[in-house]
Amino acid sequence: MKQILNIAHYEIMHIFRERVLLAILFIVPLLYASMFGMVYVSAILQHVPLGIVDLDHSQESRAVVSAFENTSNFKVIPQVSTYADLEAGMKNGLVRAGVVIPADYSQKLAQHQLTQILTVYDGSNLIYGFNTRKYFQQVLNTFSAEHTASYLSGLGMTKQEITNVMDMVSYSMEVWYNPTFSYATFIFMGLVLMIIQQIGLLGIGLTVTREKEENSWLQFLCAAVPQWKIFMGKALPYFIANFFNYGLLLWIAARFVNVKIEGSVGLILLLGLLFDLIIISAGFIVSVYFPNSLLVTRYLMLISVPIFVASGYSWPSTHIPVAINMLLRTMPYTWMAEGFRLLTVKNLSFAYIADKIMVLILMAAATTFFALTFPKRRKPPAQIGTAVNSALDLPNKNL
């Protein structure tokens, strides 16, 4: 028992001497729980952006519009008034669902003929897709029942006649972009991009720290070799390997996981190259400024989960608090994931992802600049904290 207590005493002293480890054990869990709670604070997805195309412009069609306006599940976007507006809005994200009322709606209604109201919604994001489908059914079923009750209120009809009238209004439903509701299409590539990011960062992030731990980094600093050559020599193998993984995982996703991957091959490659360049440059910068491999591994492990959860890939960014949204907009993964989904799932052209590509270009330029011009001087060893492959004194029992 005494040996167990001595080991426990040593471990406790080590935890309190290592501030990063102390934060991981006691602060990070609370931080994660708080952030996840803020991300999912709305709990229920409401106020889905809805475009209504009223081709009839009658009193009866306005009643349908009012039914959608008077529910908190939808938020009617007034800018959408034509089918072309609806298509454009679904592409650029202005709306996530649409209702099209036919031009002969009131006429068929008056003649007691079958009348269809077209409803469409964006299936590229399953969170929107599943909820929107349910909300459509709720609103239209309620509207149909109210219409029938109002119509029959002044008529003395038999039960069979009432049944026939209740079947008068129906609607058709289309799912755009992800009609099979494939969860793999929805989430798999987001996880793949996160794997590529973390593996790339970890690989390049341990290069300089490994040299520091083996006391060989000084050879690079003292050699008559400019910084940009050191960076390129160190980064090139990881850049090639990471881009190879990008292509390999795309092939596996499309071939074996049946993920929907469409769009321009050139744009897919461009996104991958920019994302890869940012990852490798940022990882090299981290490796230059961090004192050892252990700290690099810790911090890279900590950032993966919150970046993915709060990036807007798995939960709509419109329902994430503004402060978290602004913070995640500084991360390349957020822009890469958005652009990749728009390109491969919605099969959109360059015009719809130009802003994502431009941001990635700026991030690539910034990270590459700092990687190419890192200070060629040796940083003194840290006086406190864990150092890999070093002789850290054990805590004294008198502490």
Side-chain angles (χ1 to χ4, degrees):
M1 178 61 70
K2 183 177 180 181
Q3 290 177 329
I4 295 176
L5 293 177
N6 284 337
I7 294 173
H9 177 264
Y10 160 73
E11 196 65 26
I12 291 172
M13 296 303 300
H14 181 79
I15 290 172
F16 280 93
R17 289 181 62 180
E18 181 58 50
R19 289 176 293 181
V20 174
L21 182 58
L22 183 66
I24 291 175
L25 292 178
F26 298 105
I27 299 178
V28 171
L30 177 62
L31 182 63
Y32 276 12
S34 301
M35 192 195 70
F36 295 163
M38 293 177 65
V39 169
Y40 298 107
V41 67
S42 59
I44 300 175
L45 186 67
Q46 292 184 312
H47 307 294
V48 176
L50 175 71
I52 298 180
V53 180
D54 185 359
L55 302 177
D56 192 40
H57 299 290
S58 63
Q59 182 177 353
E60 290 79 7
S61 65
R62 283 193 292 271
V64 178
V65 175
S66 298
F68 285 98
E69 290 177 339
N70 294 331
T71 176
S72 60
N73 293 330
F74 290 103
K75 179 183 178 182
V76 177
I77 306 300
Q79 294 92 318
V80 177
S81 58
T82 66
Y83 195 86
D85 293 339
L86 178 60
E87 287 185 320
M90 291 281 278
K91 289 180 179 179
N92 61 32
L94 177 64
V95 296
R96 293 287 182 168
V99 175
V100 181
I101 305 173
D104 57 354
Y105 174 78
S106 59
Q107 179 182 351
K108 287 188 174 182
L109 207 61
Q111 297 173 356
H112 307 312
Q113 296 180 3
L114 180 64
T115 304
Q116 286 192 339
I117 296 174
L118 174 65
T119 59
V120 297
Y121 58 93
D122 186 350
S124 65
N125 188 310
L126 294 190
I127 302 297
Y128 270 119
F130 285 132
N131 285 277
T132 302
R133 182 172 185 170
K134 178 181 66 176
Y135 296 158
F136 272 143
Q137 293 173 339
Q138 291 174 351
V139 173
L140 292 174
N141 288 341
T142 301
F143 173 80
S144 179
E146 291 176 351
H147 170 78
T148 302
S150 176
Y151 179 81
L152 298 177
S153 61
L155 301 177
M157 302 181 66
T158 65
K159 185 176 181 180
Q160 184 60 45
E161 291 174 330
I162 293 175
T163 302
N164 293 336
V165 173
M166 290 183 65
D167 293 335
M168 184 184 304
V169 178
S170 67
Y171 61 93
S172 62
M173 185 174 293
E174 298 178 2
V175 184
W176 291 3
Y177 308 124
N178 189 13
T180 61
F181 289 108
S182 169
Y183 196 76
T185 296
F186 170 60
I187 202 71
F188 184 77
M189 286 312 302
L191 298 174
V192 165
L193 294 177
M194 180 54 64
I195 291 171
I196 291 172
Q197 172 180 286
Q198 293 306 110
I199 296 299
L201 285 173
L202 185 61
I204 189 67
L206 298 179
T207 54
V208 177
T209 55
R210 182 188 66 245
E211 302 288 353
K212 294 176 182 177
E213 292 157 8
E214 296 175 354
N215 294 321
S216 57
W217 181 234
L218 189 60
Q219 300 177 23
F220 290 92
L221 298 180
C222 296
V225 180
Q227 295 98 316
W228 67 270
K229 287 187 177 181
I230 296 176
F231 164 67
M232 292 189 66
K234 286 281 190 183
L236 185 59
Y238 297 96
F239 180 85
I240 295 175
N242 216 36
F243 192 73
F244 171 79
N245 288 331
Y246 175 73
L248 177 63
L249 294 180
L250 279 178
W251 177 75
I252 292 174
R255 180 67 176 82
F256 298 104
V257 190
N258 296 321
V259 174
K260 179 182 178 182
I261 299 179
E262 299 179 349
S264 167
V265 175
L267 290 178
I268 293 175
L269 295 177
L270 177 61
L271 286 175
L273 288 171
L274 291 174
F275 191 49
D276 191 10
L277 182 58
I278 295 170
I279 291 170
I280 299 304
S281 300
F284 183 82
I285 295 171
V286 168
S287 190
V288 167
Y289 286 98
F290 275 54
N292 56 62
S293 302
L294 182 59
L295 288 179
V296 171
T297 306
R298 283 177 175 174
Y299 285 115
L300 293 183
M301 177 189 69
L302 291 176
I303 66 173
S304 60
V305 175
I307 287 179
F308 177 75
V309 172
S311 66
Y313 197 91
S314 60
W315 183 255
S317 58
T318 53
H319 289 68
I320 296 177
V322 176
I324 295 181
N325 247 329
M326 293 178 62
L327 176 62
L328 268 298
R329 289 287 164 183
T330 63
M331 305 293 178
Y333 177 86
T334 302
W335 297 95
M336 175 63 183
E338 284 186 3
F340 191 87
R341 172 175 278 171
L342 291 175
L343 176 59
T344 60
V345 179
K346 289 191 173 184
N347 194 10
L348 300 184
S349 63
F350 173 80
Y352 292 96
I353 63 172
D355 56 332
K356 280 74 176 176
I357 292 178
M358 183 57 63
V359 172
L360 290 175
I361 289 175
L362 293 176
M363 288 183 174
T367 53
T368 304
F369 171 79
F370 286 110
L372 291 171
T373 59
F374 70 91
K376 200 176 179 184
R377 61 177 181 271
R378 186 181 185 185
K379 185 178 180 181
Q383 299 301 317
I384 59 174
T386 303
V388 178
N389 296 334
S390 67
L392 181 65
D393 293 335
L394 297 181
N396 192 301
K397 293 182 66 176
N398 295 326
L399 293 177

